[in-house]
Amino acid sequence: MGRADRAATVQVSGAIRGLYAVGIRQLVVDVSAAMDCDPWLLTVLARAHAKLADDSGELNIVGVNLPQFVSALRTAALDEAFIIYDAVRREAMSQIPRPRQSNGAAQRR
C-alpha cells in the first residue's frame, strides 16, 4: 500500500524470501493499493516469479493498474515487463463472460 519505493521493495523482497524459505510456493501479490512503482519492484517480482516457477511454484500479481507501472516499464527488462503483461491479461480474461453450458434439455423440445 502506498508508494512502491526502494524501502517498500526491500520489504516485499524480504517477505517473499521468507515465505519461500518456509516452503510456500504459491504466492499472490496484490498491487492494487500501490501508487508509483519503483523499477526495482519489477526486478524483485520477476526474480521471485522465475525462482518459484523453477520449483513448480507460481507467483500471481493481481490488482495491476497500468498507470502505476508506466514509469517502471519504461526501463524494465523483457522478463519484468512480461510479468505485468501476464497479470493484466489474466485479469482482463477473467472479466470476459464465459459461454453458458447447455444441458441438452432445451434442444430436445
Side-chain angles (χ1 to χ4, degrees), residues 36-39 42 66-76:
D36 295 334
C37 174
D38 188 283
L42 293 181
L66 277 181
Q68 70 198 145
F69 286 95
V70 169
S71 63
L73 287 170
R74 286 189 182 120
T75 59

Side-chain angles (χ1 to χ4, degrees), residues 3-97:
R3 270 189 65 78
D5 57 10
R6 292 269 176 132
T9 299
V10 168
Q11 288 179 329
V12 168
S13 178
I16 291 172
R17 284 193 319 268
L19 291 167
Y20 184 85
V22 297
I24 304 298
R25 297 297 182 264
Q26 302 294 319
L27 294 176
V28 176
V29 177
D30 183 349
V31 294
S32 60
M35 292 191 286
D36 295 334
C37 174
D38 188 283
W40 283 102
L41 180 60
L42 293 181
T43 302
V44 166
L45 294 174
R47 287 180 183 164
H49 181 269
K51 186 172 189 170
L52 286 163
D54 286 347
D55 202 8
S56 299
E58 188 174 22
L59 173 74
N60 286 314
I61 302 167
V62 299
V64 174
N65 182 5
L66 277 181
Q68 70 198 145
F69 286 95
V70 169
S71 63
L73 287 170
R74 286 189 182 120
T75 59
L78 192 56
D79 62 333
E80 297 168 359
F82 271 115
I83 63 168
I84 299 304
Y85 169 78
D86 287 342
V88 169
R89 188 187 68 191
R90 198 172 31 254
E91 287 189 21
M93 293 301 289
S94 71
Q95 302 298 319
I96 297 173

